[in-house]
Amino acid sequence: MPILNKNDKAMVQKYQDFVQNSPYGKLSQDMRWEKVKNTWNSDYVYLEDPETKEITAALSILSIKAVDGKCLMYANRGPVCDFYDINTTTKLIDEARSLAEKHNAFLLRIDPEVYYDQDLVDQYRSKGFTFRGHEADVHSFTQPHYNMIMDISAGTEEEVMASMHSKTRYNIRLSERKGITTRWGRTQADIDIFHDLTGIMAERQGITYRPKNYFERMIEAYPETRIYISEFEGTPLSAAIAFPYNDKMWYLYGASSNEMRNKMPNYHMQWSMIKWAISLNKHYYDFGGVFNLDKSDGLYGFKTGFCGSTPVTEWIGELDIVYDEDAYNKFLNR
């Protein structure tokens, strides 16, 4: 049965190589993600060609107790295959059933990075699957249902800058005139600065935030990541973590001070990360999720200014494989 034996070093490397080289591979399907989410159990399902024994599809699954001692199994941005190939996706799901028994799971949730397609949703539903599409509450999804993604595939720095809203271009140039500088690093001191700014931002917005060791594990697990820090005369004003993976640059976590916000450090920081993405020949810069598609919302307005004419991306939703209906309903209504 193709459940990855994590003690088989050769097979582990083969699995990891497949995910990292697949056009469908995402950083949270990478095996290194288990080091970041170290309070979850991790398992890996794959399919292989019967003749060549080459891996043809994969599904990285994390699991944790969530309802009445039963586990949620979650394939964050899986599967690593063409989601339009329903037969292959179904085979992966079938292979994962033994993990549901192993972990006493009530649910396997898969939320692919696939553009919304009602016909595809209907096809999965016709096969008997539970699919949570855009009729669900936008705040009920595990990951944001809408993302702001900037297409940088065909542009030089000048062309990408020109695609932005005029006010965003103005604010980037203003930050430069105001003396903002941006650097990047990966040291413990850089993590400390990022986390301190995260605490300031969280207090300002009245939200919770992750402990420092979460980000320490992230930086260690993904050595290709960078922490970008925007400063004025050596004083940190904003910071963010940027992930290059496959054809994208992900902006996953950002933070900012309460000080000198009129100097536009966030604009300088984002432009610095976008320029890095361009230098790596990435096709897309992913600004992450939004919930309120209204320019009066500060987050949406900020991201829209960079994305310019690029429309908001609506993901297809969540494919839920339900093993226990009672626990599942409790989970949805928690």
Side-chain angles (χ1 to χ4, degrees):
M1 180 175 291
I3 303 295
L4 183 66
N5 177 3
K6 289 191 281 186
N7 294 319
D8 185 338
K9 292 183 180 180
M11 200 63 215
V12 166
Q13 188 62 56
K14 186 176 181 180
Y15 183 96
Q16 183 70 325
D17 288 345
F18 172 77
V19 173
Q20 292 182 350
N21 292 306
S22 170
Y24 306 107
K26 302 294 185 289
L27 66 89
S28 53
Q29 282 290 291
D30 191 298
M31 288 187 71
R32 292 175 291 174
W33 195 243
E34 71 174 51
K35 298 177 182 178
V36 181
K37 311 293 286 187
N38 67 343
T39 59
W40 295 61
N41 295 311
S42 59
D43 295 281
Y44 304 93
V45 179
Y46 62 94
L47 304 176
E48 58 184 9
D49 185 288
E51 295 182 1
T52 66
K53 301 302 181 183
E54 293 299 317
I55 295 176
T56 58
L59 189 67
S60 301
I61 300 171
L62 298 178
S63 58
I64 195 168
K65 288 184 179 179
V67 175
D68 297 338
K70 294 178 177 291
C71 277
L72 160 68
M73 300 200 314
Y74 179 38
N76 186 353
R77 298 312 191 196
V80 186
C81 69
D82 183 356
F83 195 64
Y84 278 81
D85 184 346
I86 298 175
N87 183 52
T88 294
T89 302
T90 300
K91 287 179 179 178
L92 285 169
I93 291 168
D94 290 343
E95 293 295 343
R97 187 168 294 276
S98 64
L99 296 175
E101 296 172 359
K102 171 185 174 183
H103 295 300
N104 189 24
F106 68 93
L107 170 66
L108 167 60
R109 171 163 288 176
I110 303 172
D111 55 358
E113 278 198 359
V114 172
Y115 296 142
Y116 199 90
D117 183 335
Q118 187 62 50
D119 180 64
L120 184 59
V121 170
D122 291 341
Q123 288 182 57
Y124 272 97
R125 286 174 175 165
S126 72
K127 301 291 185 181
F129 289 110
T130 299
F131 212 117
R132 302 182 69 245
H134 59 193
E135 73 285 347
D137 181 353
V138 69
H139 296 284
S140 71
F141 292 100
T142 306
Q143 302 295 332
H145 192 55
Y146 299 103
N147 267 44
M148 301 295 295
I149 300 176
M150 186 178 188
D151 187 339
I152 59 174
S153 60
T156 62
E157 289 183 13
E158 292 75 17
E159 290 168 328
V160 171
M161 173 75 85
S163 72
M164 299 176 191
H165 191 280
S166 60
K167 183 64 173 179
T168 297
R169 297 197 302 270
Y170 174 83
N171 285 337
I172 291 171
R173 290 165 180 147
L174 177 65
S175 71
E176 295 170 345
R177 294 197 299 272
K178 294 282 189 178
I180 297 296
T181 59
T182 299
R183 64 176 180 84
W184 67 269
R186 294 176 43 82
T187 68
Q188 184 62 50
D190 297 322
I191 297 172
D192 292 344
I193 290 170
F194 170 80
H195 198 257
D196 288 346
L197 289 172
T198 299
I200 292 170
M201 181 190 68
E203 183 177 0
R204 181 174 70 242
Q205 297 182 351
I207 58 176
T208 60
Y209 60 104
R210 296 187 184 278
K212 186 185 295 185
N213 60 16
Y214 180 90
F215 300 106
E216 290 170 341
R217 294 193 303 271
M218 182 178 294
I219 296 301
E220 181 180 2
Y222 293 86
E224 62 270 37
T225 61
R226 292 179 177 180
I227 301 173
Y228 276 77
I229 301 172
S230 289
E231 301 171 329
F232 178 73
E233 296 181 349
T235 299
L237 299 177
S238 60
I241 298 178
F243 277 78
Y245 199 94
N246 208 318
D247 62 350
K248 265 191 188 183
M249 181 71 71
W250 270 270
Y251 158 57
L252 285 187
Y253 297 99
S256 61
S257 168
N258 297 328
E259 307 300 323
M260 293 183 269
R261 296 169 67 82
N262 63 322
K263 295 184 184 295
M264 306 297 168
N266 289 333
Y267 285 87
H268 199 281
M269 180 180 68
Q270 288 292 346
W271 178 230
S272 298
M273 293 191 293
I274 291 168
K275 288 192 290 185
W276 181 37
I278 294 170
S279 75
L280 295 177
N281 297 315
K282 298 300 180 186
H283 292 177
Y284 304 100
Y285 184 90
D286 192 332
F287 277 91
V290 289
F291 293 98
N292 186 359
L293 305 184
D294 185 334
K295 288 187 178 180
S296 65
D297 179 88
L299 181 63
Y300 177 72
F302 176 76
K303 294 179 178 181
T304 299
F306 282 92
C307 292
S309 60
T310 304
V312 173
T313 296
E314 181 181 8
W315 298 129
I316 195 164
E318 295 172 338
L319 176 62
D320 282 355
I321 297 86
V322 180
Y323 306 114
D324 184 319
E325 288 285 351
D326 290 340
Y328 178 64
N329 289 330
K330 284 185 180 179
F331 179 71
L332 292 181
N333 296 313
R334 68 197 187 285

